[in-house]
Every structure is written in C-alpha cells, then in structure tokens.
C-alpha cells in the first residue's frame, strides 16, 4: 500500500506543496541555484557533467540533451549509459519529412521498401511513443502522432500495433486535454479500420498471422505452409492491443462528455478481455497462446492452441513471450478466480525463458527452439521488441496485481539483462536480434544498426524510477530499484507540464534534500519518505505546453524532386549531395549519412543550396562531422545569399557556437528573415583535414502549402511525367521498375529505392538506357545516379556513352569521369566534348551475376 498525500501530513512523510498543496510550517522551498552551477531546473544534477562522461555518444549536442532529456544518475553505470544512448539512438530516427507534414520517425535506419512515407513503420509505434513522451519538446512526438492519418502512404495498419493506447499514454504524461481530444478521431478511425479488416465475427476476436505482428518465422508459422508469415490465428498480441485501444477510446470519449461512445468502447474492451481469458489461456500449461483460426497441415485443428493438435500435439511446451503481452495492457482480471499470474513462474527460469542476453522468444525446451546466426527467426532469438514488452508487462504486474511469482529484484535483474544485451564492441548499441546466450547481434549492415523497435527510457522512468502516469492530478511513484542502492536521481522530468525530480538519498548527504525518497515538483519538495515505498502526492493542474514553433525547414527534399538541391565545388565521389537534405542527421561512419570534401585539392570549398524559389530564412543549421582525423569541422565558414545576380554576405547574423563544432548543429541566426532563392557556404578547411556534413537545414516561417519552385531546371533530360519528350527507353527493364523514372528528376539512394530503373533479371551482359530529347540539344555533361542494393543490383563494371548523329550511333569523347570507376550510391559525372544530338545512350557492362540500376540520369549543356 502506498501513501496518498493531499492536504495533510502522514506518518513518516514530509510534505511541501504549492498551489493545491499548501505549505506546511516547516517546509523549505528548494533554493535557487546560480546559473554558473549548470544544474537542472530543480537544482539537483548537473547535466553537462553527466553528459561529458558519456564519451560514446554520437550526437554530442549537449544543448539538446539539457533542454529535452530527464537526467538520470544511478549506482549502475551500465544502466546510465544505456539510458543516454537510447536518446542518442532516437535522434537518428527523427526524420523531418516535408514542410507540409513535419516530422516522422523511422524504425530502421535505411527506410526499407516496406516502410511508409518517409520511412516510418507502424509496428513499433507504441514503444517509440513510450520513450518519446518523456522529451520536453513535444513537437516531434506531436507531428508523429498526427502523421499516421494525415500523410498519404503512412500505412497505419500494415502491422499490429496499439496506436490508441499510446495516444492515451501521451495524455497521461502530458495532461493535455486538447491534444487527446484532437487525436481521438484518429484513434477511432484506427479501431474501426481494424474491425473492418481483422475482426472475426464468429470468434469475436481479431485475427491475423505472426508476421504481421513483426514476428515472422515463429513456432506456429513454421508448422504451416507459409513458414515465414504463418496462417491466420487469434493471438494474445493483437487482441490485447485492441483491448488497450478500446479502453483508451472509452476514456478519451469520457473526457469529452461522450458517455455513449465511452460505454460502447468499454463494452468492446470487456468482451475482448473475456475472449482472451476464456479462449487463449491454457490452464494446463498456465500461459496465453496463439490459437489457429483454421485447420492447417499436419493435423492442426481450427480453434486449437499451440501444440494442442498437430505434429507436436500434447507437448507441454509451446510457450512464447507473447503470452505475457496481456499484462502490458493490464488485461487479465486481477479479481478472476483463475490465477493467470501463474504464467510468470517461467519468466526468470533458465530452463524456460531466462538467458544471459535474453529472454528467449520461445521457451528453451520447445521442440522447435532455434537460435540463428542471421535475423530473423523468432523461435528462440533474443528480440528487443519482445523484451521491452515483457518488462513493461512485469512492471504492471508488480504495480497492479497481488502475486507471489515476480519481485522487484526480478525486474531489476531482467532490466539489467536487457541493458547489457545492448552492447557491441564495448559500446551501447542495439540491432534487431541477438543470440540470447552470447549476446552477439545479428547485424544486417546498413539496415538494422541502432534499431528503434523497442523502448528502454520508459522502462527506467515508469518501472525502475516508478513514475506511474495517470490522468488525474496525482503524482504516483512506486520505485522498483532496491533500497540497498545508496542513491538514485531522475531529475527534471516533465510530467503534466511540471518539473518533477525523484530522489533516493539513503543518508541524505548526496543531494541534500533530506534522507530517503524525495519528490520535487517545480522546485519544491512535494513528498518524502525515509524508506523506499510507494508515494502518491497531489500536484497542481497540468500546465499547457508552450506553443510549438511552426517553423519550416525549406531545405528538405524527401520527395527526390529537382529542388531543393545542392551543388559543390568538390565532392568526395563516395558521398552524395542528396544526403544533405534528407531530413535526418547522424554522424556515424557506418552506416553513413554524409557528404564530404575528402580528397579535395582546395584550401576551401563552396556548397550552394538552391530552393528553386525565394524562401524567407531565419536561421540555418549545419551538422558538421568530426572523426578527429580526416574529417573535422572547418576552421571557419561563411554564409552568403543570392540577390540580383550576385552573392551578398548576410547582414546581422550570429553563429552558435562561434567556432565550428562537430557532432552537433551549428546555428546561424539572422536578425531578420533573409528572403533568397540560394545560399552559398564557403568552408575553410582545417589544415590536414576535410569538411563534411550530415545535414543542412534552413528554417523560417511561411504559409503552407509552399509555392512551387520557379527556377529554371537545367537538366535537359527532365520530364515530370506529363510530356512526350524527353523520352526514356531501355534495352531491358525489370518488371519491378520503370524506365520512365530514370528522368523524372527524383533521386533516391535508399537500398530499397522505389524510384528507379534497373536491368534486374536481364538475360544480357550489357544493357543500355536511351534518352530521346525530341529535338537537337547540346550535350556537355551526363550525370548518372547509380543505384545498388548490395545484392542483385550493383555498380556496372564499366559504361560508355554514344550519341545519334542522324545516321548512326557514335561514341562520345569523354573528357573526365568523377569518380573514375562506376560507383553506386552517388552521382557519376561524365564531362564530354560537347556534341549536338537528338538522343544519347548509356551502355552498361553488368557486374554479373548482378545487374545495373539507376535512380536518375541527368544531362546538361555544360
């Protein structure tokens, strides 16, 4: 039992409040802290001192962490390091999609072919929101919440998910009634879509296969004809998700006074709970299981649970981690006569789920248990997604159920397992799947590194620290860390718009805020207990978040359009200019997201950003690379803008930081907006090194939709798709691709580009692409944006250029080639001696067995 504190002092609890909490006579407000002490808002921890110890962080923008991240300090340095890494990792997935739609968030770092617009995938959205809700600046989280039903191609039901529940989770954290009311129509639209597409009226449950749970090649799917996807079934996952979503809609509707809808969805939730408990629970094995919807091969019968029928009929095994998911949504009835919590007897058992780098997705003695060296076989491998779900469910079990099977010590033990699993080469890291016995990650290069498909921050905040979000004006804390720890601090967490700090100081000497457990709200001590226990304190009504700045990034280009674009005096041929405005910044060398001047013979180089139309820019952000050796921030840089045919220096601008720094944004602010079509950057290289960037942003305010670019397009090959000429053709085009996309002005280098021509499956050793201009043009340069996917599509061994002279094809005289060998993932620029011709061809010699691909072919007069 915890203590609830409102207007009185309870035994052992000191209370200091504000607003609704009147100050007691012996109360002391937290003293103001001088700015030079560099402590947080509640005056406890020094963020920069903590961050300086995190030497592994790739994003070293301490200003961002200090402004957004609740500071954590525990005796366990591994937990601390992983906590801060997860914020760093998160930033690698923040994608500014477009001025019209703002931010989205990716799951994979490479935006695969099965992702939606801007690379988002719905499967991990609930866990992503769980972690993102603790960011102080809510813009990205709010944009992402609205993304799913406002951006064409967002695919909100491509995989099972708990969108509605996560929206309610944002409300419980923020206390923003206007937000939940505005997003409620999307929550309803999502649920109604699931009912249309996946609700089985006979079973009165939702039905789907394992792959659409993100859980391909599981022990149930491997028993069916489609071993990868599996056959349809009633799963504890999707049905628990829908239970949570129905409750979220009911509660959100009640806030608006819509009692009819609130009751409708509460009844839906109750009906689902009854079905999950009565149909998916096996009292013999004491676990929730997948139930097959239809008869399958090998004697599997419809409406039977895993291993009740079929090749392994009667097996006492078959348990999967998904059997714990109902507790993630508090679905099992705590008052039920059946002891559902008995399922948890197995979670810490090394003979069942527990493993040094687990838990395993399937119990250890299962007849189909399998650990694989390459992702993904969810029949035993350690899966961060499922581990996060299990830990969240365990925290709910410990907080909301009376049971003897799992303890607080178990939570910390499993959290620590998850913590140390997130390591690679001695540094914090996460990918898609790990060996549960060795911790070795099953890494798909350029795809699964720093995988945002699980939560961790929320497991620390709501589990370890014990901040239990709720909809009323009560701050509930029930820590799961051990009383043996001498200290613990979670400082300056934004909750209902208040600054909250949770401190455990066993002897009172570390933080000087009193012995034991102390809660600080907006600089005042709101509660204290000398022992580690549950505390509940009343807090003032939620404080609305400050209005989100509606600034627009004019530089971004995720549509692959001709504008905005960049040109440079020199580019490392291994790096693409298109990386500079793809809406995301990170500094890793592998996988890279960068443009550099490496190899430049110049002491300085220039970079021109062209919007194609005049835009009112208020500030610029330059994300410089710094590997401490070859690539370093420039010694200095200058910014100019284009006006009336000349370059002018920007008046009254300030740089922050004054000297260029890498691994963080360098901000150039203008005293007044500068309206310009183009900006030019001149980088003065540091001696012995080259300049590189991950991203450039140009921020300002304008009315949406933005006016279309009006600048002339000098690409002679460009055809937006509504003109007869220029016309593209090819000797062979893969059935998966379109030759018309080779000159539509769109450049995409993603390994799963959806805008390209390829000769995939061509029977020829050489193939050509032709451009017919419909009239004679002067050709001086041909730029090939060679595409490769690391598999069947790769750079050609070589290429040649020919032109039509009216009678026959003749070779072009090549003056220079950059790079000197065909290179995928960048522009291959060929300068030729100018010729006049109505059409040209590029002939590729394939690197067999691979075949050549282009995402774009551009032609210029010079």
């Amino acid at each position: 039992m915890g203590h609830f504190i409102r207007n009185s002092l309870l035994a052992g609890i000191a209370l200091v409040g504000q607003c609704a909490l009147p100050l007691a006579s012996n109360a002391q407000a937290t003293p103001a802290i001088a700015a030079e002490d560099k402590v947080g808002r509640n005056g406890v921890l020094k963020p920069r001192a903590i961050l300086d110890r995190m030497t592994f962080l790739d994003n070293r923008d301490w200003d961002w962490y200090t402004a957004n991240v609740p500071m954590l300090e525990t005796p366990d340095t591994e937990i601390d390091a992983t906590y801060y890494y997860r914020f760093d990792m998160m930033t690698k997935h923040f994608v500014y999609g477009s001025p019209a739609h703002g931010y989205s968030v990716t799951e994979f770092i490479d935006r695969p072919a099965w992702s939606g617009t801007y690379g988002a995938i719905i499967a991990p959205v609930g866990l992503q929101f769980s972690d993102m809700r603790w960011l102080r600046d809510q813009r990205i989280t709010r944009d992402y919440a609205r993304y799913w039903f406002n951006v064409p191609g967002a695919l909100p039901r491509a995989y099972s998910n708990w969108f509605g529940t996560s929206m309610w989770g944002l409300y419980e954290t923020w206390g923003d009634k206007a937000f939940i009311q505005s997003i409620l129509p999307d929550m309803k639209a999502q649920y109604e879509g699931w009912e249309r597409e996946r609700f089985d009226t006979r079973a009165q449950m939702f039905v789907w296969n394992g792959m659409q749970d993100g859980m391909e090649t599981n022990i149930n799917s491997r028993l069916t004809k489609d071993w990868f996807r599996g056959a349809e079934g009633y799963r504890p996952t999707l049905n628990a998700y829908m239970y949570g979503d129905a409750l979220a809609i009911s509660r959100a509707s009640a806030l608006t006074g819509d009692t009819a809808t609130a009751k409708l969805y509460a009844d839906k939730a109750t009906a689902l709970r009854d079905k999950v408990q009565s149909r998916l629970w096996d009292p013999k094995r004491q676990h929730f299981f997948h139930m097959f919807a239809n008869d399958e091969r090998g004697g599997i019968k419809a409406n039977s649970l895993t291993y009740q029928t079929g090749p392994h009929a009667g097996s006492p095994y078959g348990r999967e981690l998904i059997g714990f998911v109902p507790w993630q949504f508090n679905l099992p009835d705590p008052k039920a006569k059946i002891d559902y919590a008995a399922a948890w007897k197995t979670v810490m058992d090394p003979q069942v789920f527990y493993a040094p780098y687990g838990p395993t997705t399937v119990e250890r003695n299962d007849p189909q248990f399998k650990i694989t060296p390459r992702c993904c076989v969810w029949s035993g491998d350690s899966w961060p997604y499922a581990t996060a779900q299990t830990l969240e469910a365990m925290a709910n079990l410990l907080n909301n159920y009376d049971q003897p099977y799992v303890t607080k010590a178990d939570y910390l033990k499993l959290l620590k397992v998850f913590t140390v699993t997130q390591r690679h080469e001695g540094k914090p890291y996460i990918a898609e799947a790990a060996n549960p016995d060795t911790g070795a990650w099953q890494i798909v290069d350029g795809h699964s590194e720093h995988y945002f498909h699980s939560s961790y921050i929320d497991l620390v905040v709501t589990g370890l620290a014990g901040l239990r979000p709720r909809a009323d004006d009560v701050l509930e804390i029930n820590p799961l860390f051990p009383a043996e720890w001498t200290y613990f601090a979670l400082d300056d967490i934004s909750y209902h718009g208040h600054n909250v700090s949770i401190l455990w100081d066993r002897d009172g000497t570390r933080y000087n805020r009193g012995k034991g457990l102390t809660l600080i709200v907006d600089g005042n001590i709101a509660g204290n207990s000398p022992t580690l226990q549950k505390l509940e304190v009343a807090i003032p009504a939620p404080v609305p978040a400050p209005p989100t700045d509606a600034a627009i990034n004019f530089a971004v280009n995720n549509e692959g359009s001709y504008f905005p674009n960049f040109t440079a005096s020199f580019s490392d041929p291994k790096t693409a200019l298109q990386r500079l405005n793809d809406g995301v910044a990170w500094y890793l060398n592998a996988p890279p997201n960068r443009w550099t001047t490496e190899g430049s013979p110049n002491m300085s180089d220039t970079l021109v950003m062209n919007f194609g139309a005049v835009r009112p820019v208020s500030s610029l952000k330059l994300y410089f690379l710094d590997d401490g050796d070859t690539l370093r921030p420039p010694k200095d840089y200058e910014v100019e803008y284009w006006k009336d045919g000349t370059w002018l220096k920007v008046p009254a601008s300030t740089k922050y930081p004054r000297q260029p720094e890498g691994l963080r944004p360098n901000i150039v602010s203008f005293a007044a907006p500068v309206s310009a079509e183009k900006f030019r950057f001149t980088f003065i290289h540091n001696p012995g090194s080259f300049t590189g960037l991950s991203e450039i942003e140009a921020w300002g305010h304008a009315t949406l939709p933005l006016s279309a670019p009006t600048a002339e397009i000098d690409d002679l090959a460009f055809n937006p798709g509504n003109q007869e000429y220029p016309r593209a053709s090819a000797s062979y085009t893969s059935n998966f691709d379109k030759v018309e996309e080779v000159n539509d002005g769109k450049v995409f280098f993603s390994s799963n580009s959806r805008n390209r021509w390829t000769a995939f499956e061509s029977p020829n050793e050489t193939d050509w692409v032709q451009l017919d201009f419909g009239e004679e043009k002067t050709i001086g340069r041909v730029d090939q944006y060679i595409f490769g996917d690391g598999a069947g599509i790769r750079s050609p061994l070589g290429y040649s250029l020919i032109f039509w002279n009216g009678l026959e094809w003749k070779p072009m005289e090549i003056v220079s080639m950059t790079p000197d060998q065909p290179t995928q993932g960048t522009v291959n620029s060929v300068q030729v001696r100018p010729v006049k011709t109505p059409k040209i061809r590029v002939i590729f010699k394939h690197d067999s067995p691979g075949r050549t691909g282009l995402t774009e072919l551009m032609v210029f007069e010079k």
Side-chain angles (χ1 to χ4, degrees), residues 156-209:
R157 289 184 298 281
Y159 292 89
S160 62
N161 62 85
W162 54 99
F163 175 79
T165 307
S166 60
M167 294 301 97
W168 183 253
L170 295 181
Y171 172 68
E172 287 186 318
T173 305
W174 297 344
D176 189 337
K177 187 174 181 180
F179 167 78
I180 195 66
Q181 289 174 333
S182 70
I183 208 73
L184 179 56
D186 292 348
M187 296 163 64
K188 292 178 181 177
Q190 179 77 324
Y191 200 95
E192 291 164 0
W194 284 123
E195 287 186 315
R196 287 193 307 272
E197 298 166 13
R198 293 292 153 200
F199 191 69
D200 186 328
T201 55
R202 294 174 302 165
Q204 292 294 296
M205 284 189 287
F206 292 88
V207 61
W208 218 359
N209 60 60

Side-chain angles (χ1 to χ4, degrees), residues 73-84:
E73 181 182 66
T74 78
D76 193 313
T77 57
E78 296 282 7
I79 289 176
D80 290 3
T82 306
Y83 175 84
Y84 291 109

Side-chain angles (χ1 to χ4, degrees), residues 384-414:
Y385 179 85
T387 301
Q389 287 187 301
T390 303
L391 278 161
E392 185 178 344
M394 184 185 286
N396 285 342
L397 183 76
L398 290 166
N399 276 275
N400 304 327
Y401 295 81
D402 289 327
Q403 49 78 40
Y405 307 109
V406 171
T407 66
K408 292 182 178 182
D410 292 327
Y411 183 86
L412 177 60
K413 185 176 181 179
L414 193 58

Side-chain angles (χ1 to χ4, degrees), residues 287-334:
H287 204 72
F288 288 105
F289 289 88
H290 167 101
M291 173 183 281
F292 290 93
N294 304 296
D295 291 348
E296 303 294 339
R297 69 178 186 178
I300 294 174
K301 299 298 182 183
N303 300 316
S304 66
L305 302 177
T306 305
Y307 297 168
Q308 283 185 335
T309 60
H312 302 290
S315 170
Y317 304 111
R319 297 176 185 87
E320 301 173 274
L321 279 187
I322 62 172
F324 298 119
V325 167
W327 282 272
Q328 185 187 359
F329 301 87
N330 295 297
L331 183 151
D333 187 350

Side-chain angles (χ1 to χ4, degrees), residues 148-366:
W148 294 103
F149 290 89
N150 291 277
V151 177
L155 308 178
R157 289 184 298 281
Y159 292 89
S160 62
N161 62 85
W162 54 99
F163 175 79
T165 307
S166 60
M167 294 301 97
W168 183 253
L170 295 181
Y171 172 68
E172 287 186 318
T173 305
W174 297 344
D176 189 337
K177 187 174 181 180
F179 167 78
I180 195 66
Q181 289 174 333
S182 70
I183 208 73
L184 179 56
D186 292 348
M187 296 163 64
K188 292 178 181 177
Q190 179 77 324
Y191 200 95
E192 291 164 0
W194 284 123
E195 287 186 315
R196 287 193 307 272
E197 298 166 13
R198 293 292 153 200
F199 191 69
D200 186 328
T201 55
R202 294 174 302 165
Q204 292 294 296
M205 284 189 287
F206 292 88
V207 61
W208 218 359
N209 60 60
M211 197 280 284
Q212 253 61 49
D213 261 351
M215 196 174 173
E216 62 271 18
T217 323
N218 60 73
I219 60 171
N220 291 292
S221 70
R222 287 165 59 197
L223 296 175
T224 69
K225 292 180 180 179
D226 189 343
W227 56 267
F228 180 77
R229 297 173 64 87
E232 291 200 332
Y234 313 106
R235 297 174 61 77
T237 45
L238 180 58
N239 284 282
Y241 304 163
M242 293 299 96
Y243 168 81
D245 281 9
L247 278 184
I249 294 170
S250 175
R251 290 163 178 165
S253 298
L255 281 178
T256 69
D258 185 353
T259 55
T261 300
K263 183 179 185 306
L264 173 66
Y265 278 88
D267 290 345
K268 289 176 185 285
T270 299
L272 267 179
R273 167 187 271 179
D274 292 345
K275 289 296 181 183
V276 170
Q277 291 182 152
S278 63
R279 302 292 304 280
L280 304 188
W281 174 260
D282 183 353
K284 187 176 181 180
R285 289 176 286 176
Q286 294 186 308
H287 204 72
F288 288 105
F289 289 88
H290 167 101
M291 173 183 281
F292 290 93
N294 304 296
D295 291 348
E296 303 294 339
R297 69 178 186 178
I300 294 174
K301 299 298 182 183
N303 300 316
S304 66
L305 302 177
T306 305
Y307 297 168
Q308 283 185 335
T309 60
H312 302 290
S315 170
Y317 304 111
R319 297 176 185 87
E320 301 173 274
L321 279 187
I322 62 172
F324 298 119
V325 167
W327 282 272
Q328 185 187 359
F329 301 87
N330 295 297
L331 183 151
D333 187 350
K335 298 179 181 179
K337 295 180 180 179
I338 297 174
D339 184 13
Y340 295 111
W344 288 89
K345 289 186 294 187
T346 60
V347 73
M348 302 302 292
D349 187 343
Q351 296 302 312
V352 190
F353 289 111
Y354 185 80
Y357 302 95
T360 57
T361 43
V362 173
E363 63 178 308
R364 179 76 64 171
N365 293 315
D366 189 272

Side-chain angles (χ1 to χ4, degrees), residues 8 36 100 203 225 256-257 259 359 481 500 692 722 727 820 847:
S8 62
E36 57 267 22
K225 292 180 180 179
T256 69
T259 55
F481 59 82
V500 173
N722 57 358
R727 180 189 302 151
D820 57 6
D847 182 9

Side-chain angles (χ1 to χ4, degrees), residues 430-687:
I430 194 167
E432 195 168 359
N435 184 307
D437 297 325
T438 68
W441 286 104
Q442 302 162 7
I443 301 168
V444 180
D445 291 339
H447 173 63
S448 62
E449 297 100 328
H450 307 286
Y451 180 54
F452 194 12
H453 195 261
S454 61
S455 61
Y456 183 86
I457 296 159
D458 191 69
L459 302 176
V460 171
V461 175
T462 65
L464 195 65
L467 197 167
R468 308 297 294 174
R470 45 196 286 176
D472 58 7
D473 297 337
V474 173
L475 174 63
E476 177 182 337
I477 306 295
N478 189 23
L480 299 182
F481 59 82
E484 290 73 25
W485 280 5
T486 57
Y487 64 91
F488 176 97
L490 184 64
D491 192 25
D492 282 338
I493 191 162
S494 181
Y495 179 71
H496 286 210
H498 301 288
N499 296 319
V500 173
S501 297
I502 304 168
L503 309 179
W504 168 249
D505 192 347
R506 202 164 65 178
D507 63 11
T509 62
R510 188 175 185 91
Y511 304 120
N512 297 312
R513 300 295 192 276
K515 283 186 179 182
L517 182 64
T518 300
L519 307 182
I520 299 175
V521 178
D522 295 331
N524 297 310
I525 295 175
N528 173 266
S529 169
T531 60
L532 194 62
Q533 64 180 69
K534 181 177 179 179
L535 292 180
E536 294 179 337
V537 299
I539 58 175
V543 176
T548 301
D549 184 6
I552 292 167
N553 176 11
F554 298 115
V556 74
N557 187 346
N558 274 309
E559 277 68 38
S561 305
Y562 195 79
F563 296 111
N565 64 37
F566 287 88
T567 55
S569 59
F570 184 92
S571 294
D572 176 357
K574 300 187 299 294
T575 63
L577 284 162
Q578 285 75 16
R579 296 292 189 185
L580 288 172
N581 61 338
D582 61 357
V584 65
W586 73 77
Y587 309 100
L588 302 168
N589 186 46
N593 186 64
R594 56 180 53 191
W595 164 86
T596 82
T597 62
E598 187 171 353
S600 172
N602 309 317
M603 295 183 65
S604 65
D605 279 296
T606 59
L607 185 67
V608 175
M609 175 172 60
N610 188 348
F611 304 128
V614 173
R615 304 296 189 209
V617 177
S618 299
S619 65
L620 301 163
K621 287 187 178 182
L622 295 86
Y623 295 77
F624 290 119
L625 305 174
D626 188 355
D627 66 3
D629 186 15
T630 304
L631 295 172
R632 295 174 60 199
K635 184 178 180 180
D636 204 352
Y637 64 97
E638 296 179 352
V639 180
E640 301 165 290
Y641 69 103
W642 183 256
K643 184 176 182 181
D644 299 330
T646 188
W647 291 107
L648 301 174
K649 288 190 176 181
V650 177
S653 64
T654 58
K655 294 179 180 178
Y656 178 76
R658 177 62 192 89
Q659 291 300 121
E661 292 183 16
L663 313 183
R664 58 152 302 144
N666 290 250
I667 305 169
V668 184
S669 301
F670 306 149
V674 174
S675 294
E677 181 181 302
K678 295 186 280 189
F679 283 83
R680 183 170 71 177
F681 307 91
T682 301
F683 305 116
I684 303 168
H685 305 311
N686 255 309

